[in-house]
Amino acid sequence: MLNNFRLSMAWVHTWFGLVLGFVLMVAFFFGSLSVFDREIDRWAVPATRFEPQPMPSYDNLLADVYTRLKPDPVDMAATAKRVIGELPAADTMPLVSLFAYTTHRDPVLLIGGEFGIPNQPKDPADDHLHVHGRATVDPRTGEFLPDDALKIGSDWFYPLHYSLHLNWMYLGTYVVGLAGLVMLVALITGVIMHRKVFREFFTFRPNKRIQRSALDLHNMTGVVALPFHFFFAFTGVLIFAGFYYFPVSQTLLKPLHDQHEVLEAAHTGLPHDEAGIPAPLASVDAMVAEARRIWAERDMAGEVGFLTIEHLGDANGYVSIYRAGSDRVALVGEGIHFRASTGELLREDPPSPPVEAVARFLTGLHLQHFEHWALRWLYVLGGLLGCVCIATGFVFFVEKRKQDHARRGLQGCRVVDALAVASVTGMVLAAVAMLVANRILPEAVVGKGEWEKAVFWWAWGLSLLHALWRSAPVAKALRNPAWAEQCWLLALLAVTAVLLNWVSTGDHLFKTVVTDPYWPVAGVDLSLLASAAVAVFAARKLAQPRTVQASALCTESGGGL
């Protein structure tokens, strides 16, 4: 490729980073927002603005709730295409398994289950025919939240972080995985390129030309957060490797995988199949009390975080109760399993073997379900530093080349700059516009969540069109005015979102901070105001006139992006 090794690494760093940097911006920014996804949910769904609740009583509340749970219509329609004959009415489908899940940050309870169907599959190999249902419940009363009350944090921003909402054939997950690998390559090649890492840890010259300042900030944010970036890129790829990237257990090794499930069930005493003999359900509350007693004996008393019942109403049914993991890094564990019909203790999960323990630890550290608010804010800081690193890489790429492109009449820098605008300011605009739409649209409007999603995509698409329309000066080696214009609009929308939250719910900052503190909502409002302040600062700086640079600072770059 190139004779010099460092120049070869610079080429890899530049072009790999440019091509998939736009995907990495999405992953880093919405990953940062996902650190507080539950808090964003509280802001977006005012009916959930109360204190976190423990797992409610199954016998006295949840048993009735599950009788009102219905199959998902979309899943019903998809399953109808896989079976012979018409599906029975949704009200007649028996619930064959169920789950309930909560965390230390969740006022509401997520429940779901599988409904059995009598139809035969069209494909004999299709051996897992169920229709699923899911709902969000107020654990104090058992009331269901409206189906179209979109939880913007956990059901939109968080999946966008790892799937881009490109769900066909898991395309988005594969793209993000590829971007994660490219991020690892970019970090390694960046270290090779920049030999004076310690100096670049402290070097930032904001009053220099844009090209120099952008490169300084790119290097500094890359070096400061290098361990964070490497760890999260690596664990992000690792988490999905077995499910999506190398799913051999569901393809080449599926027969072996199915046989292993049967053998594991025999070993653990947890039945793999139904017995076909009806059986009543014993007191689940008594099983929960026993699980808590066992945890206390192990010197790790805690609340229930996850509860499942398999083979419901069958003699082989069993109840699994998992301890909430808010006091440790690894994910939920310490499962206690009981026979559903009698409450007899079947199994206590043993400590994880070393490899599984390491995997759980790394996964837990990436997802950060444990209770540590200071570390949670450090995650946000690390994610935003990643965004700054990528954004300044875009800026430096354009600044380094636009003089030459202007002389030669090329349009490459113009296109890259417009894409950078849409990937930086446009992406944030879309997120804030969604919050504004959330507060403008009445709570009772039909399909409110779908309208909010539409606003998000339209705002992002329009930001790209605006950036392309205003990008003509870049072809003359000047700055794209879309940067400043979208910053001003972002500041306006962020303040508007805070005001609309006040008007529509009465939860203004004085109330949520002083008179009746509720930090999930206050935190979102304060973050919006901080974003508005940063946007105003950026817009004012971008509005300052600059003369056309005489030449690109090729020698200053050190071969960097």
Side-chain angles (χ1 to χ4, degrees):
M1 185 186 303
L2 296 171
N3 294 329
N4 184 289
F5 179 69
R6 283 187 65 241
L7 291 179
S8 298
M9 293 297 98
W11 187 95
V12 172
H13 185 90
T14 299
W15 292 103
F16 276 40
L18 177 67
V19 172
L20 285 169
F22 305 106
V23 176
L24 289 170
M25 274 295 294
V26 176
F28 269 94
F29 179 69
F30 288 104
S32 300
L33 296 187
S34 298
V35 173
F36 288 104
D37 56 348
R38 264 59 174 194
E39 287 70 24
I40 296 173
D41 290 345
R42 305 290 78 77
W43 193 96
V45 188
T48 66
R49 294 182 183 180
F50 50 91
E51 293 305 312
Q53 304 291 311
M55 183 73 70
S57 163
Y58 184 93
D59 298 350
N60 299 325
L61 189 142
L62 290 182
D64 175 66
V65 168
Y66 282 107
T67 64
R68 293 181 277 122
L69 182 66
K70 298 294 183 268
D72 180 76
V74 176
D75 198 19
M76 285 274 288
T79 304
K81 300 176 183 179
R82 299 164 50 196
V83 301
I84 300 172
E86 293 186 4
L87 289 175
D91 292 341
T92 65
M93 288 186 178
L95 194 63
V96 296
S97 71
L98 58 84
F99 74 86
Y101 174 74
T102 189
T103 75
H104 66 282
R105 296 162 52 219
D106 274 317
V108 294
L109 183 71
L110 177 64
I111 68 167
E114 288 185 341
F115 296 83
I117 56 177
N119 305 59
Q120 294 296 314
K122 293 179 179 179
D123 181 1
D126 195 354
D127 57 355
H128 189 72
L129 277 179
H130 291 106
V131 176
H132 299 82
R134 195 179 85 153
T136 303
V137 177
D138 184 338
R140 303 169 302 177
T141 64
E143 294 299 318
F144 285 25
L145 292 179
D147 291 338
D148 55 357
L150 177 65
K151 292 183 280 188
I152 291 177
S154 57
D155 283 348
W156 188 254
F157 290 163
Y158 175 54
L160 186 61
H161 153 65
Y162 64 82
S163 73
L164 309 178
H165 289 302
L166 298 175
N167 298 320
W168 178 76
M169 299 292 289
Y170 305 110
L171 177 61
T173 306
Y174 284 109
V175 172
V176 173
L178 177 61
L181 288 175
V182 167
M183 182 72 182
L184 294 174
V185 173
L187 292 172
I188 294 169
T189 55
V191 171
I192 293 172
M193 289 160 48
H194 301 290
R195 293 168 295 186
K196 301 176 182 178
V197 172
F198 186 78
R199 188 186 72 179
E200 289 170 349
F201 188 96
F202 300 100
T203 302
F204 177 48
R205 291 159 284 189
N207 296 320
K208 294 286 186 177
R209 298 181 184 182
I210 296 178
Q211 183 178 332
R212 183 71 260 174
S213 299
L215 182 60
D216 282 349
L217 194 54
H218 178 75
N219 293 338
M220 186 175 70
T221 52
V223 170
V224 167
L226 179 63
F228 176 91
H229 296 159
F230 190 92
F231 172 80
F232 277 86
F234 173 72
T235 54
V237 173
L238 185 66
I239 287 169
F240 287 110
F243 293 102
Y244 300 108
Y245 307 144
F246 304 104
V248 291
S249 63
Q250 297 301 317
T251 52
L252 297 175
L253 301 181
K254 190 176 189 305
L256 184 62
H257 172 267
D258 294 343
Q259 183 182 7
H260 174 73
E261 281 190 342
V262 175
L263 295 174
E264 184 179 34
H267 173 71
T268 60
L270 305 180
H272 182 266
D273 299 310
E274 295 180 350
I277 303 173
L281 179 64
S283 171
V284 176
D285 287 359
M287 302 179 207
V288 169
E290 177 64 12
R292 285 177 172 159
R293 186 192 66 79
I294 294 172
W295 291 331
E297 282 186 353
R298 294 182 183 176
D299 197 24
M300 51 176 159
E303 294 293 333
V304 178
F306 189 45
L307 183 149
T308 69
I309 303 179
E310 296 292 336
H311 311 317
L312 184 63
D314 187 85
N316 275 352
Y318 61 93
V319 179
S320 299
I321 302 169
Y322 297 88
R323 179 176 173 273
S326 60
D327 60 345
R328 61 176 188 168
V329 174
L331 291 181
V332 170
E334 286 87 35
I336 312 290
H337 310 275
F338 302 88
R339 190 177 303 280
S341 58
T342 64
E344 172 195 355
L345 178 64
L346 293 178
R347 173 180 170 83
E348 298 179 32
D349 286 348
S352 301
V355 174
E356 184 180 344
V358 170
R360 288 189 176 215
F361 180 84
L362 293 177
T363 303
L365 198 57
H366 185 105
L367 298 178
Q368 217 242 341
H369 286 182
F370 53 91
E371 187 172 3
H372 195 304
W373 294 104
L375 185 57
R376 193 171 291 276
W377 278 108
L378 287 176
Y379 276 37
V380 174
L381 177 62
L384 294 180
L385 285 175
C387 293
V388 173
C389 184
I390 298 166
T392 49
F394 292 151
V395 172
F396 179 74
F397 181 95
V398 173
E399 291 295 323
K400 182 178 178 180
R401 291 162 176 81
K402 70 181 183 182
Q403 293 283 341
D404 179 60
H405 283 208
R407 286 194 300 269
R408 298 165 59 190
L410 301 176
Q411 300 296 312
C413 281
R414 181 176 177 178
V415 173
V416 171
D417 187 85
L419 290 172
V421 173
S423 299
V424 181
T425 56
M427 178 178 61
V428 185
L429 270 174
V432 177
M434 192 177 198
L435 297 180
V436 171
N438 172 268
R439 292 295 83 228
I440 289 178
L441 292 169
E443 298 296 329
V445 68
V446 177
K448 181 183 177 184
E450 296 303 316
W451 282 105
E452 292 165 359
K453 295 175 186 178
V455 167
F456 177 88
W457 292 122
W458 274 102
W460 204 349
L462 289 173
S463 75
L464 175 59
L465 293 178
H466 172 255
L468 288 167
W469 172 54
R470 298 289 281 158
S471 65
V474 180
K476 301 176 182 177
L478 298 173
R479 181 185 297 150
N480 189 343
W483 285 103
E485 292 165 357
Q486 293 195 16
C487 282
W488 284 118
L489 179 58
L490 173 59
L492 175 63
L493 286 177
V495 173
T496 301
V498 175
L499 294 176
L500 286 171
N501 177 53
W502 177 5
V503 172
S504 61
T505 67
D507 290 338
H508 50 79
L509 275 170
F510 186 76
K511 174 185 176 182
T512 56
V513 174
V514 181
T515 61
D516 187 15
Y518 192 73
W519 286 106
V521 172
V524 175
D525 278 347
L526 290 170
S527 298
L528 286 167
L529 293 178
S531 301
V534 172
V536 169
F537 174 79
R540 289 173 62 87
K541 294 291 289 184
L542 289 166
Q544 295 176 0
R546 285 182 178 269
T547 58
V548 179
Q549 297 178 20
S551 61
L553 303 179
C554 298
T555 56
E556 287 190 5
S557 69
L561 173 61

